[in-house]
Amino acid sequence: MKALILVDIQNDFAPTGALPVPEGDQVVPVVNNLMDKFDLVVATQDWHPRDHKSFAVHHHKNPGEIILLNGITQILWPVHCVQGSKGAEFIPGLNMKKTARVFKKGQDREVDSYSGFFDNGRKKDTGLGDYLKEQGVATVYITGLALDVCVKFTALDAHALGFDTKVIIDATRPVNMNIIDAGDGDKAIARMQAVGIETLMSKDI
Ligand code: VGL
Ligand code: ZN
């Protein structure tokens, strides 16, 4: 059984959003066209409290600067995906009718959560891994935003959890902030491929 995972396809990651991903909205038609080819579709949603400590403004710093947050290196971001805000909603036009479950992440103000499976401290679990296993999923195809942040960490965790993991490159876009591990799209692809994650294009599915 194979599942399609939609990572953070939210207004704040569209080009006009608070944390703009260039061409981020262009993944929408690509993923909509893929949904029928999968047994199961699930989504993740970045869902931060307003006072989330990944927000640069709370540290009187600029987005892109780096701090240590509870012992974990934290890139500071613009305020984005605040719970209940328009920016946190899925991009209009994304077909959510086929999405069986939405897994929210980033709710704990003290720790960021790039992966759809675990927070960055690997303390809490969103339930996504157990859900996929309960549904009998063996293979996951990962799409969404941003390739070099949440898509990459979701893919690395899916692989570590034992799922046969594939990333559909043209159904993702990188934010390309070019800082430490946020890296850029090409570095993210190389890192995923290095552990055995397959990268492919939507036309090959
Ligand atoms: C993301 C930065 C901060 C993402 C989420 O979805 O890639 N990036 N929060
Ligand atoms: Zn976030």
Side-chain angles (χ1 to χ4, degrees), residues 122-187:
R122 291 192 140 262
K123 291 208 174 75
K124 279 189 211 134
D125 183 314
T126 61
L128 174 57
D130 286 343
Y131 176 75
L132 294 173
K133 285 190 177 158
E134 277 158 28
Q135 299 295 313
V137 172
T139 307
V140 294
Y141 289 73
I142 302 180
T143 65
L145 305 170
L147 171 62
D148 43 354
V149 190
C150 292
V151 168
K152 177 179 76 175
F153 287 104
T154 300
L156 291 171
D157 278 346
H159 174 78
L161 287 169
F163 295 103
D164 180 13
T165 304
K166 301 172 197 285
V167 176
I168 308 171
I169 298 299
D170 59 321
T172 73
R173 288 293 185 282
V175 61
N176 279 331
M177 293 267 288
N178 285 310
I179 32 174
I180 305 190
D181 224 16
D184 60 16
D186 292 338
K187 277 191 249 164

Side-chain angles (χ1 to χ4, degrees), residues 8 13 19 46 48 77 80 105 112 114 145-146 149-151:
D8 300 358
F13 301 122
L19 205 174
D46 211 35
H48 298 305
W77 302 106
H80 66 278
K105 62 188 183 61
D112 214 348
Y114 295 150
L145 305 170
V149 190
C150 292
V151 168

Side-chain angles (χ1 to χ4, degrees), residues 5 20 32-33 69 71-72 80 82-83 85 93 104 111-112 135 149 161 183 194 203:
I5 304 182
N32 283 348
N33 284 329
L69 178 58
I72 301 169
H80 66 278
V82 172
Q83 296 172 4
S85 70
K104 290 184 161 66
V111 62
D112 214 348
Q135 299 295 313
V149 190
L161 287 169
K203 67 171 170 38

